[in-house]
Amino acid sequence: MFKVKDRQNSCVEPFEFLPAKDSEVYTLGEALTYTDKVTKCGATAKPTHICMGPADAGVVPVMPVLATTRFEVPYDAKPTIGTAVTLGTAAESVTATTTSGVFTVTDVDEAAGVCCGFFK
């Protein structure tokens, strides 16, 4: 689950309500992309939004992904600080894979199994 760690500006990203795919189940904190409808983000695709709740009446609440926002997220394998890594298969974690990475790691908390970073 991607959770906001901190922001470089004092503004909070506004929630948006975007069209949902009928066949998808959306999870809080999941990385999403948006074209005509929101969909789960692939491992090497930069997300455009983070899910903020389940779909209802054909729309899903989301927040936009900005370069000024750092997220805390669990990792599947411990990433290295300063590297850009890929997303996990469920788009709710990151891996240690750096090929085509989209999430830049700024710090790692091994005890908690989470890292912090931003989408480049």
Side-chain angles (χ1 to χ4, degrees):
M1 167 194 289
F2 285 89
K3 299 187 291 186
V4 173
K5 173 74 173 172
D6 54 43
R7 296 175 171 90
Q8 291 180 355
N9 57 33
S10 60
C11 298
V12 175
E13 296 87 348
F15 281 17
E16 300 175 56
F17 294 89
L18 298 176
K21 283 190 172 182
D22 295 332
S23 60
E24 289 228 21
V25 175
Y26 299 93
T27 306
L28 177 65
E30 177 178 49
L32 304 170
T33 56
Y34 174 69
T35 49
D36 61 333
K37 293 186 178 190
V38 289
T39 187
K40 295 175 191 260
C41 204
T44 60
K46 180 186 170 196
T48 57
H49 295 84
I50 300 294
C51 181
M52 298 309 292
D56 185 32
V59 296
V60 62
V62 298
M63 65 174 273
V65 170
L66 304 176
T68 55
T69 304
R70 275 194 334 142
F71 292 94
E72 177 181 278
V73 62
Y75 56 79
D76 299 336
K78 183 183 166 202
T80 304
I81 294 172
T83 60
V85 297
T86 61
L87 303 183
T89 55
E92 297 177 37
S93 63
V94 296
T95 69
T97 304
T98 57
T99 304
S100 301
V102 294
F103 185 78
T104 302
V105 178
T106 58
D107 57 279
V108 176
D109 182 344
E110 289 184 62
V114 298
C115 65
C116 296
F118 59 92
F119 291 100
K120 62 176 193 164

